[in-house]
Every structure is written in C-alpha cells, then in structure tokens.
C-alpha cells in the first residue's frame, strides 16, 4: 500500500473524523474511515461504492458469502445491497484506515460512451481485488487536493473523473461497467431500488416495482434477486429494520414507535423480524448500540 496515501488519509481523519470515525470530505461521495478498535457488526444498504483499505482489515458479508480484505485491497459494491460489515483488525498503534468513494453512475456512463465500452453480463454485486496502482495514485492526489482549498473546486471534478477511468480499465472494470450501461439490467433494477428506498414504509406491490424497472414481474423478480441476493419483499424488510435501528439508536425512538414509523402494523412481528436480523430484541439491541457508540467516543 502507498505509504504517502496512508499518511494523507491519517492526517485528514485525525483532523476531521467524527465520533463514529467517519471523516466526510468536501469532494462529493468521498470519505475517510478510521477505527482504533475492531468494530461490532454494522448493518447497511450501501449505494454503489469502492472501498480502498489502507491499514487494518475488514470483513463484509452478503447473504451467506463473506469477503475479507486488508491493506492493499479494495472492495467494490455495484448495487444497493444489504451488507453486514465488521472491522476485524485495528488498534491505537495501527488504526484501521480506508477511503470510501461512492461511484458516480453518470460519470461511468459518460466514460463508457467515450471509451466505446460494450455492455457486460450481470455479475456479483460485491467483490474484492488488490487495488490498482493507478487508482492508488489518483486517490493520493485527491487527498492532497483536500489540503489546497483554492485548487479544490477547480480540479476535484476532473480528478474524480480520472478515478472512475482507472477503475473502469482496472481489475474491477467489468463489474463497474455494468452499472453505467444505459438500459442494462443493473440500471433497471436500480430504478426499482430507488423507489424502494423512497417509499420503504409503504406497501409496494411487485407489479409497481417491475413497472419502475420496465420489466415483466417474473423477469424483474429474477434480475432483482440476482443483483441484490434478496427478493424485493426481503429487501424492503431489511430497509425497514435498518432504519428502525437507526431511529432507536440515534433519535431515541421506542421499539413500538420505530416499528410504526417504518411501516409495521404489528409490534410483535417487528420484534420477531428484528431479532432474526440483528440477533437481539429491539430494546436490548438499542442499549448495546448506545454502549458501543459511547465507548467509541471515549478516549483510547
């Protein structure tokens, strides 16, 4: 791994990281993650992104598949899929550091047209590879640009475009290309996912989701499951449960209030499904999450 990149990320995270260890940058979609201890399990439905690990290690699970990656590796997520992640190696002496960049589908589509890239078949939504040298080099220049406020608004857009170019021609290129190809299955499923994200608390019949994707119900169900590893109903359920967990931990909602806020009509059903996903009933999990957040804010 590029030592200069690690040092630049460390400087930025030390100056800007919040209590959760996330340091958002002024470059759209780019953040630095820092941790001085291994983390608990974190549940999320991430947008398409690339994660470059600079120090330490992490594990991400999608369904029954597990992906372990460490310094020098990059994790690619090409669809809005529910993941369970955990930082597995971090210490005060050698903190975990990573760069996370949300992929810009408009840039990918534009580059694909300019580079005359053809469509590719639908592939795995999560994958890991050793980070390409050109990607590391561009990441370093992005981090250095953050320290030059006058140049930042002028040069950041072209550096982001360059980053997407090197990703497209690198080890992750085939997988990234599928999400930028107009009218691809990935793009169509993404339209339905956007609807699910916006209206997850409402009943969403499969016909409406299929219509948003421009597919028949049977074809949509098949391609949705291939892209996300879940059925549309399972996906919506995880969206509801993850949001309910956030409401209880961050906004102090009670279990029943959170259940109704995310669309459940039965607290008993909510409790059963919450425990099945997170391993604890809502009340106990809320206290565990709060304790973990409090510990993370305490001095090391």
């Amino acid at each position: 791994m590029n030592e200069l990149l690690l040092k630049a990320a460390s400087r930025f995270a030390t100056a800007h990281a919040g209590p959760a260890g996330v340091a958002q940058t002024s470059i759209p979609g780019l953040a630095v993650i820092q941790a001085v201890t291994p983390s608990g399990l974190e549940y999320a439905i991430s947008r398409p992104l690339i994660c470059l690990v600079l120090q330490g290690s992490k594990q991400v699970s999608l369904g029954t598949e597990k992906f372990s990656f460490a310094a020098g590796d990059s994790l690619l997520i090409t669809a809005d899929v529910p993941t369970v992640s955990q930082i597995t190696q971090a210490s005060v002496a050698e903190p975990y550091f990573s760069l996370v960049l949300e992929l810009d589908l408009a840039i990918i589509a534009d580059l694909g047209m300019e580079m005359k890239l053809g469509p590719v078949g639908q592939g795995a939504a999560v994958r890991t590879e050793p980070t390409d040298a050109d990607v590391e080099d561009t990441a370093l220049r992005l981090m250095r640009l953050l320290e030059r406020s006058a140049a930042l608004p002028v040069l950041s857009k072209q550096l982001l475009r360059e980053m997407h170019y090197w990703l497209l021609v690198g080890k992750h290129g085939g997988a990234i290309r599928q999400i930028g190809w107009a009218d691809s299955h990935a793009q169509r499923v993404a339209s339905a996912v956007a609807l699910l994200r916006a209206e997850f608390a409402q009943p969403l019949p499969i016909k409406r989701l299929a219509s948003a994707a421009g597919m028949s119900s049977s074809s949509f169900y098949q391609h949705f499951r291939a892209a996300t590893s879940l059925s549309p109903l399972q996906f919506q359920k995880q969206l509801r449960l993850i949001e309910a967990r956030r409401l209880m931990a961050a906004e102090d909602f009670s279990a029943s209030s959170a259940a109704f806020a995310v669309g459940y009509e039965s607290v008993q059903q909510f409790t059963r499904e919450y425990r099945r996903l997170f391993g604890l009933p809502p009340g106990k999990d809320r206290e565990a999450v709060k304790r973990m957040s409090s510990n993370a804010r305490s001095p090391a």
Side-chain angles (χ1 to χ4, degrees):
M1 173 50 63
N2 189 316
E3 288 297 323
L4 293 176
L5 176 55
L6 173 59
K7 290 179 180 178
S10 176
R11 284 197 304 274
F12 187 85
T14 299
H16 301 284
V22 179
Q24 296 289 349
T25 76
S26 53
I27 296 175
L30 180 65
V32 183
I33 310 299
Q34 177 187 34
V36 295
T37 60
S39 72
L41 297 178
E42 298 176 359
Y43 298 79
I45 296 182
S46 302
R47 300 188 184 279
L49 60 80
I50 188 84
C51 172
L52 281 58
V53 178
L54 311 181
Q55 187 165 271
S57 62
K58 192 170 188 176
Q59 184 178 86
V60 170
S61 300
L62 172 65
T64 58
E65 292 186 272
K66 290 186 178 181
F67 303 84
S68 297
F69 53 111
D73 295 331
S74 55
L75 171 84
L76 175 71
I77 299 178
T78 59
D80 295 57
V81 291
T83 58
V84 183
S85 63
Q86 183 174 30
I87 295 170
T88 52
Q89 182 180 345
S91 67
V92 174
E94 292 189 357
Y96 169 89
F97 286 109
S98 66
L99 295 183
V100 176
L101 176 66
E102 290 189 4
L103 298 176
D104 189 315
L105 305 193
I107 293 177
I108 293 169
D110 186 52
L111 284 170
M113 293 291 290
E114 188 172 335
M115 297 161 67
K116 297 180 171 60
L117 299 175
V120 294
Q122 192 167 352
V126 178
R127 53 182 287 163
T128 61
E129 293 282 359
T131 305
D132 293 295
D134 290 315
V135 171
E136 285 186 0
D137 176 66
T138 310
L140 174 59
R141 285 183 285 127
L142 278 168
M143 293 306 301
R144 285 176 167 170
L145 190 61
L146 292 170
E147 300 172 346
R148 306 184 69 175
S149 57
L152 184 60
V154 179
L155 300 179
S156 60
K157 288 183 180 179
Q158 65 191 58
L159 268 181
L160 278 176
R161 183 177 174 85
E162 182 181 344
M163 172 65 87
H164 284 75
Y165 172 84
W166 291 121
L167 288 169
L168 273 169
V169 299
K171 298 182 182 73
H172 288 298
I176 293 175
R177 194 187 315 172
Q178 70 182 0
I179 64 175
W181 188 261
D183 208 35
S184 66
H185 291 141
Q187 286 275 31
R188 291 184 175 203
V189 168
S191 298
V193 167
L195 178 58
L196 277 163
R197 279 185 174 274
E199 301 184 26
F200 64 85
Q202 307 302 320
L204 288 170
I206 192 77
K207 286 186 178 180
R208 186 180 174 204
L209 293 170
S211 176
M215 298 180 182
S216 68
S217 295
S218 59
S219 177
F220 168 71
Y221 187 93
Q222 174 188 348
H223 289 294
F224 188 95
R225 191 163 194 117
T228 68
S229 80
L230 297 171
S231 71
L233 182 60
Q234 289 170 327
F235 190 97
Q236 183 181 25
K237 185 185 298 182
Q238 292 209 9
L239 276 173
R240 287 178 169 183
L241 293 171
I242 289 170
E243 173 62 9
R245 194 181 200 225
R246 186 196 68 80
L247 290 172
M248 288 189 294
E251 300 187 27
D252 209 28
F253 274 51
S254 67
S256 59
S257 296
F260 296 134
V262 300
Y264 277 88
E265 296 180 357
S266 164
V267 175
Q268 290 77 12
Q269 181 186 1
F270 168 72
T271 301
R272 282 197 307 271
E273 294 180 353
Y274 190 102
R275 184 168 192 162
R276 192 176 300 134
L277 179 61
F278 298 119
L280 289 171
K284 288 185 177 180
D285 184 58
R286 177 178 60 178
E287 295 308 313
V289 170
K290 286 185 174 182
R291 282 197 304 271
M292 190 177 300
S293 298
S294 177
N295 292 339
R297 289 191 292 267
S298 299

